[in-house]
Amino acid sequence: MVLESLAGKRVLVTGGRVTGRAVVPVLLDLGARVTVADSDSGELERCAALGAETVVISELDAAAVSEFALVVTSPGFRPDASPLDAAAAAGVPIWGDVELAWRVDRAGVYGPPRTWAVVTGTNGKTTTTSMLELILRADGRRAVACGNIGVPVADALRNVEQADVLAIELSSFQLFWAPSVRPDAGVVVNIAEDHLDWHGSMDAYVEAKLRAVSGRIGVVGLDDPIAGTLLPRASAEKTFGFTAETSGPGRIGVEAGHLVDRVFADGELLADVADIEPSGPAGLQDALAAASVARAVGVSAGAVADGLRGFRVGPHRAAVVRELGGVVFVDDSKATNPHAARSSILAHDRVVWLAGGLLKGAVVDDLVRDVASRLIAAVVFGRDADQIAGALARHAPDVPVVRVLSGDDADVVDDTDVTDGDEVMRRVVREAASRALPGSAVLLAPSTASFDQFRDYGHRGDSFAAAALALTAGDLAGHTR
């Protein structure tokens, strides 16, 4: 399938939300006849306003799907989703939105091809990509952060004046559906169990991530137990790693409190560790990853320092919501898997941990074992709360655990079912506050997805912040119960 052949052909777009609405204009620019399939009538109306035909996805049968020349899918659709399964059986090509954007960019549809700087990993993708965008701009590049970070790649391309370098955050889903992408530079920051329910196995998840290091230069995080083993499997023309340990030849690392480049220079200083936000091991890893990709696309050392110095952490990423009576309330709702939650908890000495939601096939036993000594209490909630409570019972039996669950559980806070996410969070925060001591942190680091009770992780974090800000000193330990 080549782009030129799409003129006059029927193309099916599965999913009419942000990604779907981004690819519709691109396909129309190519002369295709576009049909969008979704289950939400409101989303279909928005796509129709862009010039697409629409269909309710449940009304698509295998025969109907086989009539299309191409399917462009939103990344959340699994390969066994009915329209995609039917397309594969009929031999209809299936591209993700990033695959389409790559082919459009390489073909020069919207001007000269951009430089693609790709960031992936289980955790830290958004922080790393945001750091990278600032570094690129500090170097005078016309750069934009896009992909999984909020702006679809297709939108970034259609705005011809917007960027010549794309700092692209890609999820494992997006990479799975983008087999042709060969970035100018790409990094795998880290890898831990996540989205195994979608990919089917850890091996398949890792294989998707490896596509980020299949282009000109591939970078991996050497300190991560899994990512650190990937250099021999990376198919990039040139590969190297970064580490928070002392750098050596062929690495970007840390020496005497500075990020140091021994890949593209012989010991050139890139940035002062003290200037990096967020502070701590996770922030340092993200900064190293961003600096590595920036250097791989020719950014100066001074721009790395300037970009990192100007970076400030975004909302829901270990953001301090308030301090009350010597207790800090920290919103790390973006910690949507155990690996992210581990880094978040280890940044504090004493923690009342708020955890719960959808584990997506991950387990939390290793996480609980690693952080048990930091926990003074835990409040669990959401669909997989019992799994988290079970891990705490096995590996941290002395840590008090409170469950905010349905009324038929013996350990519930009260005798009513709680289904509204905001009410759940109000109760969770009150329970946590009543167990927090001066010098401790009440930490929302759920290690789960949020979709069982909240719209997204942002809604969950906002709900936590609102609940924390509503507390008074009388809600803290020593004043209640």
Side-chain angles (χ1 to χ4, degrees), residues 46 65 251 418 444 459:
R46 293 182 182 91
V65 173
R251 295 181 177 184
V418 184
L444 175 66
H459 175 204

Side-chain angles (χ1 to χ4, degrees), residues 27 52 101 118 164 198 252 260 309 334 351 396 438 455 474:
L27 291 166
V118 167
D164 52 26
W198 197 98
I252 289 180
V260 177
R309 190 181 303 114
K334 190 65 168 64
V351 173
R455 292 188 301 274

Side-chain angles (χ1 to χ4, degrees), residues 3 22 93 282 416 420 436:
L3 293 177
T416 59
D420 175 73

Side-chain angles (χ1 to χ4, degrees), residues 34-360:
V34 183
T35 299
V36 178
D38 200 292
S39 59
D40 187 314
S41 60
E43 299 298 346
L44 292 179
E45 290 176 5
R46 293 182 182 91
C47 292
L50 296 174
E53 299 177 11
T54 62
V55 62
V56 177
I57 200 164
S58 61
E59 297 176 0
L60 279 174
D61 58 22
V65 173
S66 68
E67 296 175 0
F68 290 93
L70 172 69
V71 174
V72 179
T73 184
S74 297
F77 281 77
R78 288 165 43 152
D80 58 1
S82 56
L84 304 188
D85 189 51
V92 178
I94 304 170
W95 296 352
D97 68 298
V98 176
E99 177 77 8
L100 173 65
W102 171 259
R103 291 172 181 253
V104 164
D105 189 45
R106 295 303 98 177
V109 173
Y110 298 116
R114 278 70 167 181
T115 297
W116 284 47
V118 167
V119 176
T120 196
T122 303
N123 300 301
K125 297 187 295 294
T126 298
T127 299
T128 299
T129 306
S130 300
M131 288 175 168
L132 176 59
E133 180 188 36
L134 281 182
I135 292 170
L136 291 165
R137 290 183 176 181
D139 201 49
R141 312 289 184 97
R142 292 184 302 165
V144 63
C146 56
N148 198 49
I149 201 168
V151 178
V153 183
D155 279 349
L157 292 177
R158 291 189 83 241
N159 188 343
V160 177
E161 300 302 320
Q162 188 171 11
D164 52 26
V165 183
L166 306 181
I168 310 174
E169 175 188 330
L170 294 183
S171 69
S172 59
F173 309 151
Q174 291 168 311
L175 287 163
F176 177 90
W177 290 119
S180 300
V181 171
R182 299 291 182 269
D184 296 274
V187 62
V188 179
V189 182
N190 49 54
I191 293 182
E193 282 191 349
D194 200 16
H195 302 303
L196 302 191
D197 53 344
W198 197 98
H199 290 281
S201 70
M202 189 65 174
D203 285 345
Y205 178 58
V206 173
E207 283 298 320
K209 293 293 190 184
L210 277 167
R211 288 183 172 167
V213 287
S214 62
R216 186 174 64 86
I217 298 179
V219 188
V220 303
L222 297 175
D223 300 332
D224 184 77
I226 299 177
T229 68
L230 297 183
L231 280 183
R233 299 174 60 185
S235 57
E237 297 170 19
K238 174 184 176 67
T239 60
F240 70 92
F242 65 85
T243 175
E245 305 297 326
T246 301
S247 63
R251 295 181 177 184
I252 289 180
V254 177
E255 298 177 20
H258 289 85
L259 274 61
V260 177
D261 183 356
R262 296 193 182 277
V263 179
F264 302 99
D266 186 16
E268 189 168 11
L269 302 183
L270 301 179
D272 190 329
V273 171
D275 290 336
I276 293 170
E277 182 182 315
S279 59
L284 177 56
Q285 291 288 329
D286 296 343
L288 284 162
S292 296
V293 176
R295 294 292 278 173
V297 297
V299 169
S300 68
V304 173
D306 291 342
L308 290 177
R309 190 181 303 114
F311 177 77
R312 294 296 176 264
V313 68
H316 315 304
R317 294 171 175 83
V320 175
V321 170
R322 74 173 302 187
E323 186 274 337
L324 178 66
V327 177
V328 292
F329 291 78
V330 182
D331 168 16
D332 199 7
S333 185
K334 190 65 168 64
T336 57
N337 55 67
H339 186 271
R342 178 183 183 276
S343 296
S344 190
I345 295 169
L346 292 178
H348 304 275
D349 292 329
R350 295 192 296 171
V351 173
V352 180
W353 181 31
L354 280 55
L358 303 173
L359 281 169
K360 304 169 291 181

